[in-house]
Amino acid sequence: RVEYTTRTAEGRYAPKNCTAAWIETADGRYVATIEIGAALRKPGLMYWQDHACTEKPGPDVISSATLPDHTKPHKPLWKGLDLDKLPAPDGNYRLFIEVTESDKEPGEYATFDFVKGPIAFGGEVPVGAEGLLERVSIAWELPAAGGISGAGM
């Protein structure tokens, strides 16, 4: 489970903003997109487009239009599946979150390392005092007995 909130940087379209959150392996292999908040302004998510498989974002993706402001908290969920809906192996992963208020200049992105494995964890992670991310928390919940249902980050 991922939860994050954003704030304005007074960009070109502020307070409107676009967001993307995706998972990669520690060595930089794209795994899945878990959230994309952009419609016509997707080109502004330059880092996401550079890293992600934009034709096949992932089985758990939450998608929406460009967001009207920064008031809504984001709550994407990754169930531990890859692009082919298969369980991703336990190991080291990296969460990327990108936020932009422009389609002309790159926005900002931040990365957060975590371990997907047999031990549950959760908590708030540090973010910079400046920038578009205001608060981020990450939790990995163990699968329910008999499968991946109920699991998530």
Side-chain angles (χ1 to χ4, degrees), residues 52-100:
C53 175
T54 57
E55 290 81 36
K56 188 177 178 184
D60 299 322
V61 70
I62 295 172
S63 65
S64 70
T66 300
L67 302 171
D69 55 39
H70 294 272
T71 59
K72 178 187 169 200
H74 300 259
K75 298 181 179 185
L77 175 69
W78 181 49
K79 294 181 182 175
L81 302 176
D82 66 13
L83 285 176
D84 297 317
K85 299 181 183 179
L86 299 172
D90 287 351
N92 296 316
Y93 288 87
R94 183 166 288 143
L95 166 68
F96 285 75
I97 300 174
E98 180 179 4
V99 184
T100 186

mmCIF file of all heavy atoms in Angstrom, residues 52-100:
data_model
loop_
_atom_site.group_PDB
_atom_site.id
_atom_site.type_symbol
_atom_site.label_atom_id
_atom_site.label_comp_id
_atom_site.label_asym_id
_atom_site.label_seq_id
_atom_site.Cartn_x
_atom_site.Cartn_y
_atom_site.Cartn_z
ATOM 1 N N ALA A 52 8.741 3.595 -18.135
ATOM 2 C CA ALA A 52 7.638 2.638 -18.101
ATOM 3 C C ALA A 52 7.298 2.052 -19.463
ATOM 4 O O ALA A 52 7.632 2.600 -20.498
ATOM 5 C CB ALA A 52 6.398 3.322 -17.539
ATOM 6 N N CYS A 53 6.574 0.970 -19.388
ATOM 7 C CA CYS A 53 5.946 0.383 -20.562
ATOM 8 C C CYS A 53 4.584 1.051 -20.665
ATOM 9 O O CYS A 53 3.642 0.659 -19.985
ATOM 10 C CB CYS A 53 5.797 -1.126 -20.388
ATOM 11 S SG CYS A 53 4.912 -1.909 -21.731
ATOM 12 N N THR A 54 4.464 2.092 -21.475
ATOM 13 C CA THR A 54 3.248 2.894 -21.494
ATOM 14 C C THR A 54 2.075 2.213 -22.187
ATOM 15 O O THR A 54 0.937 2.596 -21.993
ATOM 16 C CB THR A 54 3.505 4.267 -22.141
ATOM 17 O OG1 THR A 54 4.014 4.070 -23.458
ATOM 18 C CG2 THR A 54 4.482 5.082 -21.331
ATOM 19 N N GLU A 55 2.326 1.191 -22.973
ATOM 20 C CA GLU A 55 1.241 0.481 -23.638
ATOM 21 C C GLU A 55 0.587 -0.542 -22.715
ATOM 22 O O GLU A 55 -0.542 -0.942 -22.914
ATOM 23 C CB GLU A 55 1.735 -0.253 -24.896
ATOM 24 C CG GLU A 55 2.127 0.668 -26.031
ATOM 25 C CD GLU A 55 3.536 1.231 -25.835
ATOM 26 O OE1 GLU A 55 4.419 0.526 -25.328
ATOM 27 O OE2 GLU A 55 3.738 2.409 -26.176
ATOM 28 N N LYS A 56 1.314 -1.014 -21.717
ATOM 29 C CA LYS A 56 0.819 -2.062 -20.826
ATOM 30 C C LYS A 56 1.234 -1.683 -19.405
ATOM 31 O O LYS A 56 2.235 -2.165 -18.898
ATOM 32 C CB LYS A 56 1.443 -3.397 -21.252
ATOM 33 C CG LYS A 56 0.891 -4.603 -20.558
ATOM 34 C CD LYS A 56 1.541 -5.862 -21.133
ATOM 35 C CE LYS A 56 1.058 -7.101 -20.427
ATOM 36 N NZ LYS A 56 1.738 -8.288 -20.907
ATOM 37 N N PRO A 57 0.484 -0.779 -18.758
ATOM 38 C CA PRO A 57 0.960 -0.214 -17.500
ATOM 39 C C PRO A 57 1.049 -1.198 -16.338
ATOM 40 O O PRO A 57 1.924 -1.071 -15.501
ATOM 41 C CB PRO A 57 -0.045 0.890 -17.208
ATOM 42 C CG PRO A 57 -1.238 0.582 -18.012
ATOM 43 C CD PRO A 57 -0.770 -0.200 -19.189
ATOM 44 N N GLY A 58 0.173 -2.153 -16.240
ATOM 45 C CA GLY A 58 0.235 -3.101 -15.138
ATOM 46 C C GLY A 58 -1.153 -3.490 -14.683
ATOM 47 O O GLY A 58 -2.125 -2.772 -14.918
ATOM 48 N N PRO A 59 -1.265 -4.632 -14.008
ATOM 49 C CA PRO A 59 -2.576 -5.151 -13.642
ATOM 50 C C PRO A 59 -3.262 -4.387 -12.515
ATOM 51 O O PRO A 59 -4.464 -4.483 -12.355
ATOM 52 C CB PRO A 59 -2.282 -6.594 -13.227
ATOM 53 C CG PRO A 59 -0.862 -6.579 -12.784
ATOM 54 C CD PRO A 59 -0.184 -5.536 -13.637
ATOM 55 N N ASP A 60 -2.527 -3.629 -11.711
ATOM 56 C CA ASP A 60 -3.111 -2.946 -10.560
ATOM 57 C C ASP A 60 -3.266 -1.451 -10.757
ATOM 58 O O ASP A 60 -3.560 -0.725 -9.811
ATOM 59 C CB ASP A 60 -2.225 -3.169 -9.321
ATOM 60 C CG ASP A 60 -2.107 -4.632 -8.940
ATOM 61 O OD1 ASP A 60 -3.120 -5.346 -9.054
ATOM 62 O OD2 ASP A 60 -1.020 -5.055 -8.533
ATOM 63 N N VAL A 61 -3.073 -0.946 -11.970
ATOM 64 C CA VAL A 61 -3.023 0.500 -12.192
ATOM 65 C C VAL A 61 -4.363 1.178 -11.879
ATOM 66 O O VAL A 61 -5.425 0.676 -12.206
ATOM 67 C CB VAL A 61 -2.562 0.840 -13.626
ATOM 68 C CG1 VAL A 61 -3.611 0.485 -14.661
ATOM 69 C CG2 VAL A 61 -2.182 2.305 -13.735
ATOM 70 N N ILE A 62 -4.270 2.300 -11.180
ATOM 71 C CA ILE A 62 -5.393 3.206 -10.982
ATOM 72 C C ILE A 62 -5.151 4.354 -11.945
ATOM 73 O O ILE A 62 -4.073 4.944 -11.931
ATOM 74 C CB ILE A 62 -5.421 3.746 -9.540
ATOM 75 C CG1 ILE A 62 -5.670 2.628 -8.536
ATOM 76 C CG2 ILE A 62 -6.467 4.854 -9.394
ATOM 77 C CD1 ILE A 62 -5.515 3.072 -7.095
ATOM 78 N N SER A 63 -6.138 4.670 -12.784
ATOM 79 C CA SER A 63 -5.920 5.772 -13.718
ATOM 80 C C SER A 63 -7.039 6.798 -13.577
ATOM 81 O O SER A 63 -8.171 6.475 -13.230
ATOM 82 C CB SER A 63 -5.823 5.264 -15.153
ATOM 83 O OG SER A 63 -7.044 4.713 -15.552
ATOM 84 N N SER A 64 -6.676 8.042 -13.841
ATOM 85 C CA SER A 64 -7.642 9.138 -13.788
ATOM 86 C C SER A 64 -7.175 10.229 -14.731
ATOM 87 O O SER A 64 -6.058 10.194 -15.241
ATOM 88 C CB SER A 64 -7.764 9.678 -12.360
ATOM 89 O OG SER A 64 -6.586 10.360 -11.987
ATOM 90 N N ALA A 65 -8.033 11.221 -14.902
ATOM 91 C CA ALA A 65 -7.668 12.392 -15.697
ATOM 92 C C ALA A 65 -6.688 13.249 -14.897
ATOM 93 O O ALA A 65 -6.398 12.971 -13.731
ATOM 94 C CB ALA A 65 -8.921 13.187 -16.034
ATOM 95 N N THR A 66 -6.195 14.296 -15.534
ATOM 96 C CA THR A 66 -5.364 15.274 -14.840
ATOM 97 C C THR A 66 -6.108 15.738 -13.595
ATOM 98 O O THR A 66 -7.312 15.993 -13.634
ATOM 99 C CB THR A 66 -5.082 16.471 -15.769
ATOM 100 O OG1 THR A 66 -4.390 15.984 -16.920
ATOM 101 C CG2 THR A 66 -4.272 17.540 -15.073
ATOM 102 N N LEU A 67 -5.397 15.838 -12.489
ATOM 103 C CA LEU A 67 -6.038 16.198 -11.225
ATOM 104 C C LEU A 67 -6.250 17.710 -11.139
ATOM 105 O O LEU A 67 -5.380 18.492 -11.530
ATOM 106 C CB LEU A 67 -5.182 15.707 -10.064
ATOM 107 C CG LEU A 67 -4.935 14.192 -10.087
ATOM 108 C CD1 LEU A 67 -3.913 13.795 -9.050
ATOM 109 C CD2 LEU A 67 -6.224 13.443 -9.871
ATOM 110 N N PRO A 68 -7.392 18.149 -10.596
ATOM 111 C CA PRO A 68 -7.698 19.580 -10.565
ATOM 112 C C PRO A 68 -6.890 20.367 -9.529
ATOM 113 O O PRO A 68 -6.729 21.575 -9.660
ATOM 114 C CB PRO A 68 -9.188 19.620 -10.227
ATOM 115 C CG PRO A 68 -9.443 18.346 -9.502
ATOM 116 C CD PRO A 68 -8.488 17.338 -10.093
ATOM 117 N N ASP A 69 -6.402 19.684 -8.497
ATOM 118 C CA ASP A 69 -5.620 20.355 -7.454
ATOM 119 C C ASP A 69 -4.870 19.297 -6.642
ATOM 120 O O ASP A 69 -4.827 18.137 -7.024
ATOM 121 C CB ASP A 69 -6.517 21.210 -6.549
ATOM 122 C CG ASP A 69 -7.661 20.416 -5.929
ATOM 123 O OD1 ASP A 69 -7.458 19.244 -5.533
ATOM 124 O OD2 ASP A 69 -8.769 20.971 -5.842
ATOM 125 N N HIS A 70 -4.302 19.691 -5.519
ATOM 126 C CA HIS A 70 -3.485 18.785 -4.705
ATOM 127 C C HIS A 70 -4.192 18.303 -3.447
ATOM 128 O O HIS A 70 -3.547 17.815 -2.520
ATOM 129 C CB HIS A 70 -2.181 19.498 -4.315
ATOM 130 C CG HIS A 70 -1.300 19.796 -5.480
ATOM 131 N ND1 HIS A 70 -0.373 18.905 -5.959
ATOM 132 C CD2 HIS A 70 -1.214 20.895 -6.278
ATOM 133 C CE1 HIS A 70 0.271 19.445 -6.986
ATOM 134 N NE2 HIS A 70 -0.226 20.648 -7.207
ATOM 135 N N THR A 71 -5.516 18.416 -3.378
ATOM 136 C CA THR A 71 -6.220 18.092 -2.137
ATOM 137 C C THR A 71 -6.461 16.597 -1.934
ATOM 138 O O THR A 71 -6.565 16.152 -0.793
ATOM 139 C CB THR A 71 -7.574 18.818 -2.070
ATOM 140 O OG1 THR A 71 -8.363 18.437 -3.197
ATOM 141 C CG2 THR A 71 -7.386 20.329 -2.061
ATOM 142 N N LYS A 72 -6.557 15.843 -2.987
ATOM 143 C CA LYS A 72 -6.896 14.412 -2.876
ATOM 144 C C LYS A 72 -5.664 13.579 -2.543
ATOM 145 O O LYS A 72 -4.667 13.613 -3.257
ATOM 146 C CB LYS A 72 -7.491 13.931 -4.190
ATOM 147 C CG LYS A 72 -7.837 12.474 -4.205
ATOM 148 C CD LYS A 72 -8.260 12.016 -5.587
ATOM 149 C CE LYS A 72 -8.329 10.513 -5.614
ATOM 150 N NZ LYS A 72 -8.276 9.975 -6.951
ATOM 151 N N PRO A 73 -5.721 12.794 -1.444
ATOM 152 C CA PRO A 73 -4.603 11.881 -1.173
ATOM 153 C C PRO A 73 -4.582 10.741 -2.205
ATOM 154 O O PRO A 73 -5.622 10.318 -2.697
ATOM 155 C CB PRO A 73 -4.892 11.330 0.227
ATOM 156 C CG PRO A 73 -6.224 11.832 0.622
ATOM 157 C CD PRO A 73 -6.740 12.759 -0.431
ATOM 158 N N HIS A 74 -3.403 10.276 -2.525
ATOM 159 C CA HIS A 74 -3.215 9.175 -3.475
ATOM 160 C C HIS A 74 -3.058 7.881 -2.687
ATOM 161 O O HIS A 74 -2.321 7.845 -1.703
ATOM 162 C CB HIS A 74 -1.967 9.420 -4.323
ATOM 163 C CG HIS A 74 -2.045 10.689 -5.113
ATOM 164 N ND1 HIS A 74 -2.365 10.702 -6.445
ATOM 165 C CD2 HIS A 74 -1.855 11.979 -4.755
ATOM 166 C CE1 HIS A 74 -2.370 11.953 -6.872
ATOM 167 N NE2 HIS A 74 -2.063 12.745 -5.871
ATOM 168 N N LYS A 75 -3.722 6.805 -3.160
ATOM 169 C CA LYS A 75 -3.673 5.534 -2.450
ATOM 170 C C LYS A 75 -3.572 4.349 -3.419
ATOM 171 O O LYS A 75 -4.408 3.450 -3.414
ATOM 172 C CB LYS A 75 -4.901 5.375 -1.562
ATOM 173 C CG LYS A 75 -4.986 6.442 -0.485
ATOM 174 C CD LYS A 75 -6.189 6.237 0.394
ATOM 175 C CE LYS A 75 -6.220 7.310 1.469
ATOM 176 N NZ LYS A 75 -7.302 7.101 2.413
ATOM 177 N N PRO A 76 -2.536 4.333 -4.262
ATOM 178 C CA PRO A 76 -2.402 3.177 -5.161
ATOM 179 C C PRO A 76 -1.983 1.925 -4.389
ATOM 180 O O PRO A 76 -1.380 2.015 -3.325
ATOM 181 C CB PRO A 76 -1.323 3.615 -6.140
ATOM 182 C CG PRO A 76 -0.510 4.609 -5.395
ATOM 183 C CD PRO A 76 -1.468 5.307 -4.458
ATOM 184 N N LEU A 77 -2.301 0.777 -4.953
ATOM 185 C CA LEU A 77 -1.984 -0.511 -4.333
ATOM 186 C C LEU A 77 -1.258 -1.382 -5.342
ATOM 187 O O LEU A 77 -1.712 -1.521 -6.484
ATOM 188 C CB LEU A 77 -3.282 -1.206 -3.900
ATOM 189 C CG LEU A 77 -3.151 -2.605 -3.349
ATOM 190 C CD1 LEU A 77 -2.447 -2.586 -1.987
ATOM 191 C CD2 LEU A 77 -4.527 -3.247 -3.206
ATOM 192 N N TRP A 78 -0.130 -1.934 -4.933
ATOM 193 C CA TRP A 78 0.565 -2.923 -5.762
ATOM 194 C C TRP A 78 0.409 -4.264 -5.080
ATOM 195 O O TRP A 78 0.809 -4.446 -3.927
ATOM 196 C CB TRP A 78 2.055 -2.571 -5.904
ATOM 197 C CG TRP A 78 2.813 -3.534 -6.774
ATOM 198 C CD1 TRP A 78 2.468 -3.982 -8.007
ATOM 199 C CD2 TRP A 78 4.059 -4.165 -6.467
ATOM 200 N NE1 TRP A 78 3.421 -4.842 -8.511
ATOM 201 C CE2 TRP A 78 4.410 -4.971 -7.566
ATOM 202 C CE3 TRP A 78 4.915 -4.121 -5.370
ATOM 203 C CZ2 TRP A 78 5.567 -5.729 -7.603
ATOM 204 C CZ3 TRP A 78 6.075 -4.877 -5.410
ATOM 205 C CH2 TRP A 78 6.399 -5.670 -6.521
ATOM 206 N N LYS A 79 -0.175 -5.228 -5.773
ATOM 207 C CA LYS A 79 -0.403 -6.552 -5.210
ATOM 208 C C LYS A 79 0.772 -7.494 -5.424
ATOM 209 O O LYS A 79 0.669 -8.679 -5.177
ATOM 210 C CB LYS A 79 -1.681 -7.158 -5.792
ATOM 211 C CG LYS A 79 -2.924 -6.409 -5.378
ATOM 212 C CD LYS A 79 -4.156 -7.048 -5.962
ATOM 213 C CE LYS A 79 -5.396 -6.266 -5.580
ATOM 214 N NZ LYS A 79 -6.587 -6.807 -6.251
ATOM 215 N N GLY A 80 1.884 -6.946 -5.917
ATOM 216 C CA GLY A 80 3.058 -7.777 -6.112
ATOM 217 C C GLY A 80 3.084 -8.498 -7.444
ATOM 218 O O GLY A 80 3.827 -9.473 -7.612
ATOM 219 N N LEU A 81 2.304 -8.016 -8.400
ATOM 220 C CA LEU A 81 2.236 -8.661 -9.713
ATOM 221 C C LEU A 81 3.043 -7.883 -10.743
ATOM 222 O O LEU A 81 3.147 -6.665 -10.663
ATOM 223 C CB LEU A 81 0.781 -8.747 -10.182
ATOM 224 C CG LEU A 81 -0.179 -9.491 -9.262
ATOM 225 C CD1 LEU A 81 -1.602 -9.403 -9.813
ATOM 226 C CD2 LEU A 81 0.246 -10.932 -9.070
ATOM 227 N N ASP A 82 3.566 -8.608 -11.721
ATOM 228 C CA ASP A 82 4.293 -7.954 -12.811
ATOM 229 C C ASP A 82 3.334 -7.672 -13.968
ATOM 230 O O ASP A 82 2.125 -7.853 -13.836
ATOM 231 C CB ASP A 82 5.498 -8.797 -13.245
ATOM 232 C CG ASP A 82 5.110 -10.129 -13.874
ATOM 233 O OD1 ASP A 82 3.920 -10.354 -14.226
ATOM 234 O OD2 ASP A 82 6.010 -10.974 -14.032
ATOM 235 N N LEU A 83 3.870 -7.248 -15.095
ATOM 236 C CA LEU A 83 3.045 -6.911 -16.260
ATOM 237 C C LEU A 83 2.210 -8.068 -16.780
ATOM 238 O O LEU A 83 1.158 -7.870 -17.374
ATOM 239 C CB LEU A 83 3.933 -6.409 -17.402
ATOM 240 C CG LEU A 83 4.468 -5.006 -17.255
ATOM 241 C CD1 LEU A 83 5.412 -4.689 -18.399
ATOM 242 C CD2 LEU A 83 3.357 -4.000 -17.187
ATOM 243 N N ASP A 84 2.697 -9.275 -16.572
ATOM 244 C CA ASP A 84 1.982 -10.457 -17.047
ATOM 245 C C ASP A 84 1.043 -11.036 -16.003
ATOM 246 O O ASP A 84 0.582 -12.169 -16.136
ATOM 247 C CB ASP A 84 2.986 -11.518 -17.504
ATOM 248 C CG ASP A 84 3.808 -11.040 -18.685
ATOM 249 O OD1 ASP A 84 3.228 -10.428 -19.604
ATOM 250 O OD2 ASP A 84 5.038 -11.252 -18.680
ATOM 251 N N LYS A 85 0.795 -10.258 -14.927
ATOM 252 C CA LYS A 85 -0.085 -10.658 -13.825
ATOM 253 C C LYS A 85 0.462 -11.850 -13.056
ATOM 254 O O LYS A 85 -0.282 -12.590 -12.415
ATOM 255 C CB LYS A 85 -1.499 -10.931 -14.321
ATOM 256 C CG LYS A 85 -2.144 -9.725 -14.951
ATOM 257 C CD LYS A 85 -3.560 -10.027 -15.405
ATOM 258 C CE LYS A 85 -4.139 -8.805 -16.102
ATOM 259 N NZ LYS A 85 -5.475 -9.027 -16.580
ATOM 260 N N LEU A 86 1.779 -12.040 -13.115
ATOM 261 C CA LEU A 86 2.432 -13.097 -12.357
ATOM 262 C C LEU A 86 3.067 -12.501 -11.111
ATOM 263 O O LEU A 86 3.501 -11.353 -11.123
ATOM 264 C CB LEU A 86 3.514 -13.770 -13.214
ATOM 265 C CG LEU A 86 3.020 -14.443 -14.489
ATOM 266 C CD1 LEU A 86 4.200 -14.890 -15.348
ATOM 267 C CD2 LEU A 86 2.119 -15.617 -14.139
ATOM 268 N N PRO A 87 3.155 -13.282 -10.022
ATOM 269 C CA PRO A 87 3.782 -12.748 -8.815
ATOM 270 C C PRO A 87 5.244 -12.371 -9.081
ATOM 271 O O PRO A 87 6.020 -13.162 -9.617
ATOM 272 C CB PRO A 87 3.697 -13.903 -7.818
ATOM 273 C CG PRO A 87 2.591 -14.771 -8.325
ATOM 274 C CD PRO A 87 2.615 -14.625 -9.825
ATOM 275 N N ALA A 88 5.600 -11.139 -8.738
ATOM 276 C CA ALA A 88 6.997 -10.705 -8.840
ATOM 277 C C ALA A 88 7.780 -11.406 -7.738
ATOM 278 O O ALA A 88 7.271 -11.587 -6.631
ATOM 279 C CB ALA A 88 7.082 -9.191 -8.684
ATOM 280 N N PRO A 89 9.001 -11.835 -8.014
ATOM 281 C CA PRO A 89 9.779 -12.538 -6.986
ATOM 282 C C PRO A 89 10.103 -11.617 -5.810
ATOM 283 O O PRO A 89 10.176 -10.396 -5.945
ATOM 284 C CB PRO A 89 11.051 -12.954 -7.721
ATOM 285 C CG PRO A 89 11.138 -12.075 -8.918
ATOM 286 C CD PRO A 89 9.742 -11.666 -9.260
ATOM 287 N N ASP A 90 10.286 -12.223 -4.644
ATOM 288 C CA ASP A 90 10.732 -11.451 -3.490
ATOM 289 C C ASP A 90 12.080 -10.832 -3.807
ATOM 290 O O ASP A 90 12.886 -11.406 -4.547
ATOM 291 C CB ASP A 90 10.854 -12.349 -2.256
ATOM 292 C CG ASP A 90 9.488 -12.752 -1.698
ATOM 293 O OD1 ASP A 90 8.468 -12.213 -2.161
ATOM 294 O OD2 ASP A 90 9.463 -13.611 -0.795
ATOM 295 N N GLY A 91 12.324 -9.666 -3.261
ATOM 296 C CA GLY A 91 13.602 -9.008 -3.493
ATOM 297 C C GLY A 91 13.512 -7.509 -3.291
ATOM 298 O O GLY A 91 12.530 -6.982 -2.769
ATOM 299 N N ASN A 92 14.534 -6.819 -3.757
ATOM 300 C CA ASN A 92 14.634 -5.371 -3.614
ATOM 301 C C ASN A 92 13.947 -4.670 -4.782
ATOM 302 O O ASN A 92 14.195 -5.009 -5.940
ATOM 303 C CB ASN A 92 16.097 -4.944 -3.545
ATOM 304 C CG ASN A 92 16.776 -5.500 -2.318
ATOM 305 O OD1 ASN A 92 16.225 -5.465 -1.226
ATOM 306 N ND2 ASN A 92 17.977 -6.010 -2.488
ATOM 307 N N TYR A 93 13.114 -3.687 -4.444
ATOM 308 C CA TYR A 93 12.367 -2.934 -5.441
ATOM 309 C C TYR A 93 12.482 -1.442 -5.144
ATOM 310 O O TYR A 93 12.922 -1.040 -4.069
ATOM 311 C CB TYR A 93 10.885 -3.353 -5.446
ATOM 312 C CG TYR A 93 10.683 -4.722 -6.028
ATOM 313 C CD1 TYR A 93 10.790 -5.862 -5.234
ATOM 314 C CD2 TYR A 93 10.414 -4.892 -7.377
ATOM 315 C CE1 TYR A 93 10.620 -7.128 -5.773
ATOM 316 C CE2 TYR A 93 10.246 -6.149 -7.928
ATOM 317 C CZ TYR A 93 10.357 -7.268 -7.116
ATOM 318 O OH TYR A 93 10.199 -8.515 -7.650
ATOM 319 N N ARG A 94 12.063 -0.660 -6.120
ATOM 320 C CA ARG A 94 12.096 0.797 -5.979
ATOM 321 C C ARG A 94 10.750 1.352 -6.447
ATOM 322 O O ARG A 94 10.282 1.041 -7.541
ATOM 323 C CB ARG A 94 13.234 1.362 -6.821
ATOM 324 C CG ARG A 94 13.416 2.857 -6.685
ATOM 325 C CD ARG A 94 14.750 3.294 -7.262
ATOM 326 N NE ARG A 94 15.793 2.835 -6.347
ATOM 327 C CZ ARG A 94 16.985 2.374 -6.740
ATOM 328 N NH1 ARG A 94 17.302 2.340 -8.019
ATOM 329 N NH2 ARG A 94 17.866 1.972 -5.852
ATOM 330 N N LEU A 95 10.137 2.164 -5.604
ATOM 331 C CA LEU A 95 8.921 2.885 -5.936
ATOM 332 C C LEU A 95 9.314 4.254 -6.472
ATOM 333 O O LEU A 95 10.131 4.949 -5.856
ATOM 334 C CB LEU A 95 8.058 3.054 -4.677
ATOM 335 C CG LEU A 95 6.920 4.069 -4.765
ATOM 336 C CD1 LEU A 95 5.837 3.584 -5.720
ATOM 337 C CD2 LEU A 95 6.339 4.329 -3.385
ATOM 338 N N PHE A 96 8.762 4.630 -7.612
ATOM 339 C CA PHE A 96 8.954 5.954 -8.192
ATOM 340 C C PHE A 96 7.629 6.705 -8.095
ATOM 341 O O PHE A 96 6.580 6.129 -8.394
ATOM 342 C CB PHE A 96 9.315 5.858 -9.682
ATOM 343 C CG PHE A 96 10.716 5.414 -9.971
ATOM 344 C CD1 PHE A 96 11.084 4.088 -9.825
ATOM 345 C CD2 PHE A 96 11.665 6.326 -10.411
ATOM 346 C CE1 PHE A 96 12.366 3.671 -10.116
ATOM 347 C CE2 PHE A 96 12.958 5.913 -10.710
ATOM 348 C CZ PHE A 96 13.315 4.592 -10.556
ATOM 349 N N ILE A 97 7.687 7.969 -7.727
ATOM 350 C CA ILE A 97 6.515 8.835 -7.763
ATOM 351 C C ILE A 97 6.929 10.109 -8.501
ATOM 352 O O ILE A 97 7.906 10.748 -8.120
ATOM 353 C CB ILE A 97 6.002 9.191 -6.356
ATOM 354 C CG1 ILE A 97 5.607 7.920 -5.587
ATOM 355 C CG2 ILE A 97 4.803 10.152 -6.462
ATOM 356 C CD1 ILE A 97 5.237 8.177 -4.131
ATOM 357 N N GLU A 98 6.186 10.426 -9.562
ATOM 358 C CA GLU A 98 6.457 11.639 -10.334
ATOM 359 C C GLU A 98 5.241 12.558 -10.268
ATOM 360 O O GLU A 98 4.103 12.101 -10.362
ATOM 361 C CB GLU A 98 6.749 11.291 -11.793
ATOM 362 C CG GLU A 98 7.043 12.512 -12.645
ATOM 363 C CD GLU A 98 7.366 12.182 -14.096
ATOM 364 O OE1 GLU A 98 7.291 11.000 -14.491
ATOM 365 O OE2 GLU A 98 7.672 13.127 -14.839
ATOM 366 N N VAL A 99 5.489 13.845 -10.113
ATOM 367 C CA VAL A 99 4.436 14.854 -10.073
ATOM 368 C C VAL A 99 4.879 16.019 -10.953
ATOM 369 O O VAL A 99 6.031 16.438 -10.895
ATOM 370 C CB VAL A 99 4.192 15.370 -8.634
ATOM 371 C CG1 VAL A 99 3.021 16.346 -8.604
ATOM 372 C CG2 VAL A 99 3.953 14.225 -7.663
ATOM 373 N N THR A 100 3.948 16.532 -11.763
ATOM 374 C CA THR A 100 4.263 17.701 -12.581
ATOM 375 C C THR A 100 3.045 18.608 -12.693
ATOM 376 O O THR A 100 1.907 18.142 -12.615
ATOM 377 C CB THR A 100 4.760 17.303 -13.989
ATOM 378 O OG1 THR A 100 5.188 18.471 -14.678
ATOM 379 C CG2 THR A 100 3.692 16.594 -14.791
#
